[in-house]
Amino acid sequence: MNKVPFLLLLLLALPCPARADLSAREIIDKSILLDAGHSVLAEARMIQTKPNGKLRSRTMRLRRKTDGEAELTRLDFTAPADIKGLSLLIVQRPGGEADQYLYTPALRRVRRIRGSLKGQEFADTDFSYEDMERKHADDSDYSLDGEEALDGRPCWKITATTKKRVRSQYGRTVSWIDKETFLFRRIDLYDRGGTKIITIRSLGSELILGIWTQTKLEMDNLQKGTKTAYENLSIRYDGPLDSSLFTVSALGQ
Amino acid sequence: MMVLRACFTSTALACFWPAFLLAGEFAYRGDAREIFAADMRHDDPAERFVESNLHLFAEGRYTSGGWSATASLLGRVEVMAPRGTKTRYRVDLYEAYIRRSGGDWAFEGGERVLRWGVMEYLSPTDALNPHDFSQLTDPDVEDRYLPVPMLRIVAEPEPWTLEAVYQPFFRASRIDWAGTDAAVYRPSLTSHFGLPFVDFSQVVGGSAEDHLSGLVARDPDDNPAKGDAGARISWRSGDLDLSAVYLYKRDPLPTFNFSNGAQALNPAGLTPSAALLADQGFFPRAHLAGGTLRWVFDSGFTLKGEGLYKSNASFYDAQLFLVREPELQWTAGIDYDWNLQHLFTVEYAQDRAVHSGGRSFFARDRVQHLLSAAAILNFDARTWSVEFKGTTIVNQHAYFIDPRLLYRPTPPWEFALGANFWGGFGNSLFGLISNNDEIFVSAKYFF
């Protein structure tokens, strides 16, 4: 897996009996593409620990739905007040680079996030815009590096190397994927120069309405010296979501 | 559609409130900002101000299904001291509109501010709304847009966005003529024409007397009661965004035309009313055409371009901006702006031109070549930021400098220490307001 998209960490899915003969690519496909419901509405909290020890908490609402072959995701910050109203819309269509649109309340304008801009940090968090979207499995080459137990659970260890033609800030990722749930338990992210820059750990997962869901994550940004804890406060699958929420003109509304 | 909830539910409230009101969601946001500013110089020592500005912005939105209703207020309290202390209160309805959306279309109606530009400082294609020029040194430039009643329809068939806007009522830009920190009329520079505005010789150039002697009245057909309209089409592909804009609308900045004997307009030479000007048709209508582009490079830089042209040749503006976008540890950009842009337009005509259709001519020295630079440095995970913005009008030796230090100790609070410096030849845009230099401290609280 070239990298695990942050949003999808919430959505990864159904229990599936592990098979010994799966290839690295098959494991990745199952991990990325497991059914996560037709729609998702989640409330989440992110607490960032700065290098000086100060804490910064943010809460957000995440909405995702499928529309034909497109996957539409909208993320709205709800607190604290200085970031409230900041919204990100992600339109993911098969075979192409995802479009992202950011609405900034201070400027009251929408701008499209493309190409090199996706490597920038998103809304002053440890996550980049690239972390917000699903990546295509075809963008990387995979190798199965064996099996390891993590927190007492058996995992596959898989290395994904990003293909040269693909625009990504990450050159390589190493993932530990739970053999029972296909949820990841840890991911190490390396930059194009081969330096490890980020580690993400799963601190909790639950079976919600038959869907395995990450409920707690922790990200260490080794470059910035910051740490971000992510926690699902609530999540609802397959509820109604109005399509008109997922348009550019609806951002800021 | 409002459907009354049936009365056999358990609460009395539910009997009388439409179902969609009960099912919806209310959200709000806003900020309060206090600015203390000290003028560094002024024409008249008696007008040297210490100024307090309290700004309050609050927005509420109710959403239910595909409907939403939005209302926001912008309030200001301005106190100037020490001489001739005066207090000015102003509370404006900033926006108030209803939106109905479904799938990839939306319809809006009400008081609205629309921003079509891609620049971060007074984008030329943001031409739908008038501006508030009564707060020239307001640090939040986005608050200078004034809402206008409008109907708007949007369609978004990927990768296009199509918009059409109709404004049934006209609203002029807001200008403080005299007596405030941002006034454009300088009592100490009363022109020998007795006119109530800034020294005309500075506006139209050194030969103003010659021009004014030939002024004629404009066709009063430009009635502000007529509606304005505009449309935009946007297209996105790869790393490139393009848009084209067309408007047929009235200029929200007044154009001053004078019949023979210009003094008759306002012999007292003081405080003219915008209504008087409007009645006499001083907001000329024109076709406006322009567009924007935005191109993201792999290097991390973004090239922005924006231009607007007005058919009566009173205005054109083209900008190019190369920038590292915000949300970085650092941001920097260089902007080149080539425009003919007036705080005011003074139309004067030679007899032959007037008889052949009333075309107007403008002082050539009003063409401006602006070069701007901006840089932002963030420290300690954006707890501290240093910002610098500077603009020079190259051909008029004019400048505007805006340095600022920002401190964000905890999320709801933001403190700033900054300054605004203006200067240049007297007939340049910045020269006209060069006596507004100030230093300021501010505290902003978000809620």
Side-chain angles (χ1 to χ4, degrees):
Chain A
M1 172 152 86
N2 61 345
K3 74 183 286 319
V4 171
F6 166 65
L7 293 175
L8 294 180
L9 302 181
L10 302 173
L11 312 176
L12 297 178
L14 292 171
C16 177
R19 289 166 45 191
D21 57 347
L22 288 175
S23 69
R25 173 59 189 262
E26 288 171 327
I27 295 168
I28 291 299
D29 283 344
K30 283 184 175 294
S31 182
I32 290 181
L33 300 175
L34 284 173
D35 177 24
H38 173 68
S39 68
V40 178
L41 171 61
E43 306 281 341
R45 177 170 54 210
M46 220 165 23
I47 299 176
Q48 184 186 41
T49 308
K50 293 184 177 183
N52 60 13
K54 285 185 180 174
L55 300 179
R56 183 166 189 194
S57 174
R58 298 177 182 84
T59 58
M60 66 195 80
R61 173 181 295 171
L62 184 146
R63 288 173 279 205
R64 186 195 66 85
K65 74 175 295 184
T66 52
D67 184 12
E69 291 192 314
E71 183 177 278
L72 310 171
T73 306
R74 177 169 167 169
L75 195 151
D76 296 274
F77 281 92
T78 52
D82 63 337
I83 203 170
K84 185 161 65 174
L86 189 106
S87 300
L88 182 72
L89 171 68
I90 304 171
V91 180
Q92 190 111 34
R93 299 183 192 282
E97 186 180 335
D99 274 325
Q100 298 191 16
Y101 302 89
L102 181 74
Y103 174 79
T104 312
L107 297 175
R108 301 191 184 106
R109 291 176 200 273
V110 175
R111 65 191 175 97
R112 195 163 65 109
I113 308 295
R114 284 287 299 187
S116 58
L117 297 182
K118 289 187 178 176
Q120 297 176 7
E121 61 189 35
F122 166 59
D124 203 16
T125 70
D126 283 331
F127 297 95
S128 68
Y129 292 98
E130 184 181 347
D131 295 336
M132 299 288 111
E133 65 186 39
R134 181 197 295 270
K135 295 291 275 188
H136 299 292
D138 291 339
D139 288 347
S140 297
D141 297 315
Y142 304 93
S143 65
L144 181 58
D145 300 338
E147 300 180 10
E148 285 183 13
L150 220 59
D151 303 326
R153 296 185 64 86
C155 297
W156 287 295
K157 184 180 177 185
I158 293 175
T159 297
T161 306
T162 308
K163 293 176 180 173
K164 284 186 178 175
R165 62 170 175 79
V166 175
R167 290 199 293 200
S168 172
Q169 62 186 308
Y170 303 117
R172 183 164 59 99
T173 65
V174 181
S175 307
W176 286 259
I177 295 177
D178 191 301
K179 294 182 71 174
E180 180 191 347
T181 65
F182 283 83
L183 296 177
F184 83 92
R185 301 206 64 83
R186 175 177 165 178
I187 304 176
D188 291 343
L189 299 161
Y190 296 77
D191 65 15
R192 289 281 188 177
T195 305
K196 186 160 79 172
I197 52 176
I198 288 171
T199 293
I200 304 175
R201 292 183 183 83
S202 167
L203 301 181
S205 56
E206 286 180 32
L207 191 61
I208 299 173
L209 297 176
I211 296 175
W212 275 107
T213 305
Q214 301 274 16
T215 54
K216 276 189 177 180
L217 301 168
E218 186 176 79
M219 169 192 256
D220 280 312
N221 189 317
L222 306 176
Q223 282 187 320
K224 292 166 62 179
T226 54
K227 183 176 286 192
T228 299
Y230 178 91
E231 182 181 10
N232 265 334
L233 302 175
S234 69
I235 190 162
R236 189 180 74 187
Y237 289 107
D238 291 330
L241 282 179
D242 195 328
S243 293
S244 60
L245 288 168
F246 300 91
T247 61
V248 178
S249 71
L251 289 177
Q253 298 292 320
Chain B
M1 178 66 70
M2 295 172 60
V3 180
L4 287 178
R5 177 170 288 219
C7 281
F8 35 77
T9 55
S10 58
T11 66
L13 182 67
C15 294
F16 301 105
W17 286 84
F20 87 94
L21 285 180
L22 293 174
E25 180 180 291
F26 178 74
Y28 70 93
R29 67 178 189 90
D31 59 74
R33 187 179 67 238
E34 170 60 36
I35 306 168
F36 292 103
D39 277 10
M40 302 299 290
R41 59 175 172 166
H42 208 281
D43 294 326
D44 182 352
E47 295 187 358
R48 197 174 295 275
F49 294 129
V50 174
E51 188 177 329
S52 162
N53 269 292
L54 176 63
H55 291 232
L56 175 68
F57 174 77
E59 178 183 83
R61 175 173 294 119
Y62 188 84
T63 307
S64 179
W67 290 90
S68 69
T70 303
S72 53
L73 290 172
L74 187 61
R76 289 172 173 157
V77 180
E78 183 183 46
V79 182
M80 285 181 275
R83 294 193 189 180
T85 297
K86 59 181 73 176
T87 303
R88 186 173 59 171
Y89 306 91
R90 178 178 289 158
V91 178
D92 295 319
L93 184 65
Y94 188 69
E95 286 189 303
Y97 65 93
I98 292 175
R99 175 185 170 94
R100 175 76 173 100
S101 55
D104 59 359
W105 64 269
F107 174 82
E108 295 172 357
E111 295 266 359
R112 190 80 165 98
V113 174
L114 284 184
R115 295 166 175 84
W116 282 355
V118 295
M119 298 297 174
E120 287 165 26
Y121 186 82
L122 294 181
S123 292
T125 59
D126 286 348
L128 281 161
N129 293 84
H131 290 85
D132 184 352
F133 290 107
S134 65
Q135 291 286 337
L136 288 175
T137 53
D138 187 335
D140 253 348
V141 70
E142 293 297 319
D143 290 345
R144 290 183 202 161
Y145 293 86
L146 293 173
V148 177
M150 65 174 76
L151 303 173
R152 177 193 186 211
I153 188 161
V154 185
E156 299 178 77
E158 191 66 29
W160 300 88
T161 299
L162 312 169
E163 294 176 69
V165 172
Y166 175 69
Q167 299 175 336
F169 307 108
F170 173 77
R171 187 166 293 160
S173 288
R174 178 182 291 159
I175 299 166
D176 275 354
W177 299 107
T180 70
D181 192 35
V184 293
Y185 169 56
R186 305 180 199 168
S188 61
L189 291 177
T190 305
S191 88
H192 59 276
F193 299 106
L195 294 172
F197 312 113
V198 67
D199 186 351
F200 263 42
S201 65
Q202 295 192 13
V203 175
V204 297
S207 56
E209 297 89 333
D210 298 336
H211 304 315
L212 288 169
S213 65
L215 287 171
V216 295
R218 187 180 179 81
D219 184 348
D221 184 48
D222 286 322
N223 183 347
K226 290 182 180 175
D228 296 339
R232 181 174 76 156
I233 181 168
S234 307
W235 176 73
R236 304 172 286 274
S237 179
D239 297 341
L240 178 66
D241 292 10
L242 291 173
S243 77
V245 170
Y246 167 76
L247 301 108
Y248 181 56
K249 72 183 300 294
R250 198 171 319 282
D251 194 334
L253 283 172
T255 293
F256 303 129
N257 296 292
F258 301 99
S259 56
N260 292 329
Q263 297 88 339
L265 180 65
N266 190 338
L270 291 171
T271 59
S273 72
L276 174 64
L277 296 171
D279 286 346
Q280 299 191 18
F282 291 147
F283 297 92
R285 184 187 296 276
H287 299 274
L288 284 74
T292 66
L293 76 83
R294 188 168 169 275
W295 196 349
V296 178
F297 297 105
D298 285 342
S299 61
F301 280 87
T302 301
L303 178 67
K304 298 179 182 181
E306 187 163 344
L308 189 72
Y309 178 77
K310 191 186 292 184
S311 64
N312 63 7
S314 65
F315 179 93
Y316 54 81
D317 191 337
Q319 293 188 40
L320 277 178
F321 193 25
L322 187 65
V323 65
R324 289 278 297 208
E325 297 275 16
E327 277 100 52
L328 286 175
Q329 286 306 105
W330 62 276
T331 299
I334 295 177
D335 176 26
Y336 173 67
D337 184 347
W338 173 64
N339 71 40
L340 177 76
Q341 187 170 9
H342 311 266
L343 192 56
F344 309 105
T345 301
V346 177
E347 291 198 351
Y348 59 98
Q350 295 170 341
D351 284 346
R352 192 181 61 161
V354 170
H355 295 318
S356 63
R359 282 199 59 177
S360 304
F361 295 84
F362 296 86
R364 294 179 65 181
D365 65 354
R366 300 304 301 172
V367 174
Q368 301 175 141
H369 299 275
L370 284 84
L371 197 60
S372 303
I376 300 173
L377 283 173
N378 298 315
F379 303 97
D380 192 17
R382 278 175 44 88
T383 302
W384 294 88
S385 296
V386 177
E387 297 184 6
F388 173 85
K389 295 172 188 169
T391 298
T392 176
I393 307 176
V394 178
N395 59 327
Q396 296 176 7
H397 303 275
Y399 63 87
F400 168 57
I401 301 171
D402 176 12
R404 204 170 295 181
L405 174 66
L406 296 166
Y407 175 52
R408 306 177 187 89
T410 54
W413 288 99
E414 180 182 279
F415 300 95
L417 167 67
N420 295 309
F421 299 110
W422 321 71
F425 288 168
N427 63 348
S428 67
L429 178 64
F430 297 149
L432 287 171
I433 51 179
S434 62
N435 294 307
N436 286 290
D437 285 359
E438 64 177 14
I439 57 172
F440 65 86
V441 292
S442 72
K444 192 171 187 177
Y445 179 79
F446 298 87
F447 58 86

